[in-house]
Amino acid sequence: MTVSKTAEKSSGKSADPAKGRKDATEVQSEALQLGELSEQLGYVLKRAQLKVFENFLRCMASLQLTPAQFSVLLLVEKNPGRNQTEIASTLGILRPNFVAMLDNLESRDLCARIRSTNDRRSHILVLTDKGKAVLARAKKLVATKHEARLNELLGQANREALLAMLSKIASEF
Amino acid sequence: MTVSKTAEKSSGKSADPAKGRKDATEVQSEALQLGELSEQLGYVLKRAQLKVFENFLRCMASLQLTPAQFSVLLLVEKNPGRNQTEIASTLGILRPNFVAMLDNLESRDLCARIRSTNDRRSHILVLTDKGKAVLARAKKLVATKHEARLNELLGQANREALLAMLSKIASEF
DNA sequence: TATTGTTATACTCTATAACTATA
DNA sequence: TATAGTTATAGAGTATAACAATA
């Protein structure tokens, strides 16, 4: 909501921004003060999330998997035989929006919809062999490029503490 | 990307989900296993961010301010006299998208665009008196309802550690 | 020629209602 | 009657190109 994906350099329109000013009302034309914004958890959380997703996409460029697609593959692998409603709702994806997502994954032969014999309204979801292979490669990329970078930045212990706090917020806030 | 704003209850379609099964292939029809998903920082980060924004909106319902609008008011208050480009780019908002946002805030008499005398292309942004008053009330709501809730959940020290780590990710990742 | 604010536009993500086929 | 998957659609949020006024 607050933040977009592109950063932009600040201008600094005058030739010598450090020199004398015309009058006292003119502010110094350099970086703005974030002020209380840098203490707003929501603001920092959003900016951090965008950075993490951006990095995830870069790490996954060769496999063309978005964070959402990766989460679907992971969940289907862990819970084979569940239907669309169960997978979607666990991920917080609304069923209507899940249809196009699955169409995409299925068209790439990463997962398959199988009509359930128990309840012929349901589509059971499973990973294809290719889906399993791609997911295995994706996990490796995430571990060696994405998570490794985070561990490097924060340290293993801090990364785990961060995850624990975010989980608490996600489940209890 | 991964997560929507509404949660949904899982079904549990059979009358007695704990009792005997038809055959060994049928899975237990209760909660799904998140598996590695709960270790994915991006996934947890996104879900936490949605919860925090949701709570922010609830706390701000009386003032009808979104996180993005709050961030604009905060930044304009801290940096009066800056133009649209400077405020927008600092927040990561693209200039074209900032126009409608400002139209909204200006129509509610919370901030004003003033044609700069130095550079008549620029619109200098300032908070109106009403804007200052509303922002003051917003800050109070955020402190007493929103941040207080977070401190209650995490503890003051943890909340600060969380903020520090997220800031590091936002700026260095 | 370059920049500011703006318009137009498009694409993604999210959300709701309603249809169909099954139960 | 209710549920699963689907379609259609609408609204945010985000992205790019291009224009008028001004520098």
Side-chain angles (χ1 to χ4, degrees):
Chain A
M1 221 170 214
T2 303
V3 196
S4 84
K5 269 154 203 158
T6 49
E8 294 153 37
K9 64 287 159 215
S10 48
S11 53
K13 58 194 131 191
S14 60
D16 186 351
K19 271 253 294 283
R21 293 282 157 219
K22 297 202 206 71
D23 56 58
T25 61
E26 191 168 314
V27 284
Q28 64 288 356
S29 280
E30 284 312 315
L32 278 74
Q33 300 292 325
L34 278 194
E36 300 164 70
L37 211 46
S38 51
E39 296 296 315
Q40 286 296 318
L41 186 82
Y43 178 74
V44 180
L45 196 46
K46 177 81 182 182
R47 299 211 77 137
Q49 184 261 310
L50 288 174
K51 282 293 193 87
V52 169
F53 270 42
E54 225 175 275
N55 181 269
F56 183 97
L57 285 170
R58 271 198 305 275
C59 293
M60 289 303 210
S62 62
L63 297 179
Q64 287 286 97
L65 282 183
T66 66
Q69 291 168 335
F70 181 64
S71 71
V72 171
L73 296 183
L74 268 184
L75 196 63
V76 171
E77 182 194 49
K78 183 74 179 181
N79 303 272
R82 298 296 193 145
N83 66 27
Q84 295 184 198
T85 298
E86 292 172 310
I87 298 293
S89 79
T90 299
L91 293 173
I93 300 171
L94 294 174
R95 282 167 308 247
N97 299 331
F98 196 45
V99 174
M101 242 188 116
L102 272 186
D103 288 348
N104 179 321
L105 294 176
E106 204 171 21
S107 74
R108 293 159 68 183
D109 191 30
L110 298 178
C111 80
R113 293 184 244 225
I114 302 173
R115 190 123 246 160
S116 168
T117 50
N118 300 339
D119 183 341
R120 300 191 50 261
R121 293 170 301 182
S122 291
H123 289 168
I124 292 314
L125 297 181
V126 292
L127 295 192
T128 62
D129 288 345
K130 186 181 169 195
K132 288 173 192 166
V134 167
L135 180 56
R137 285 205 284 155
K139 285 183 192 176
K140 226 165 244 171
L141 284 178
V142 167
T144 59
K145 302 181 78 171
H146 185 64
E147 306 272 10
R149 178 89 191 285
L150 269 160
N151 277 327
E152 187 187 323
L153 186 65
L154 300 175
Q156 175 74 22
N158 282 332
R159 190 192 151 282
E160 282 169 21
L162 174 62
L163 197 69
M165 286 192 274
L166 292 173
S167 296
K168 191 158 193 182
I169 292 174
S171 61
E172 297 174 37
F173 195 60
Chain B
M1 224 166 217
T2 303
V3 196
S4 84
K5 270 154 202 159
T6 49
E8 294 154 36
K9 65 286 160 213
S10 47
S11 54
K13 60 194 127 188
S14 62
D16 188 348
K19 271 255 287 289
R21 295 282 156 218
K22 297 201 204 73
D23 58 54
T25 60
E26 189 169 315
V27 285
Q28 65 288 358
S29 277
E30 284 312 314
L32 278 72
Q33 300 292 326
L34 278 194
E36 301 165 70
L37 212 46
S38 51
E39 296 297 316
Q40 286 297 319
L41 186 82
Y43 178 74
V44 180
L45 196 47
K46 178 80 183 183
R47 297 211 79 137
Q49 185 261 308
L50 288 173
K51 283 292 194 86
V52 169
F53 270 42
E54 226 175 274
N55 180 269
F56 183 97
L57 286 171
R58 272 198 305 275
C59 294
M60 289 304 210
S62 61
L63 297 179
Q64 286 287 98
L65 281 183
T66 66
Q69 291 168 335
F70 181 65
S71 71
V72 171
L73 295 183
L74 267 185
L75 196 62
V76 172
E77 182 194 49
K78 183 74 178 180
N79 302 272
R82 298 294 193 145
N83 67 26
Q84 295 183 196
T85 297
E86 292 172 311
I87 298 294
S89 78
T90 299
L91 293 173
I93 301 171
L94 294 174
R95 282 166 308 249
N97 299 332
F98 196 45
V99 174
M101 241 188 116
L102 271 185
D103 288 348
N104 179 320
L105 294 175
E106 203 171 20
S107 74
R108 294 159 67 184
D109 192 29
L110 298 179
C111 81
R113 293 184 245 227
I114 302 173
R115 190 122 245 159
S116 168
T117 51
N118 299 340
D119 183 342
R120 300 192 48 261
R121 293 170 302 183
S122 293
H123 289 169
I124 291 316
L125 298 181
V126 293
L127 295 192
T128 62
D129 289 344
K130 185 181 169 195
K132 288 173 192 167
V134 166
L135 180 56
R137 284 206 284 156
K139 285 184 191 176
K140 226 165 244 173
L141 284 178
V142 167
T144 60
K145 303 181 77 171
H146 185 64
E147 305 272 8
R149 178 88 190 286
L150 270 160
N151 276 327
E152 187 188 323
L153 186 66
L154 300 175
Q156 175 74 22
N158 282 334
R159 190 192 152 282
E160 282 170 20
L162 174 62
L163 197 68
M165 285 192 274
L166 292 173
S167 295
K168 191 159 191 180
I169 292 173
S171 61
E172 295 174 40
F173 195 60

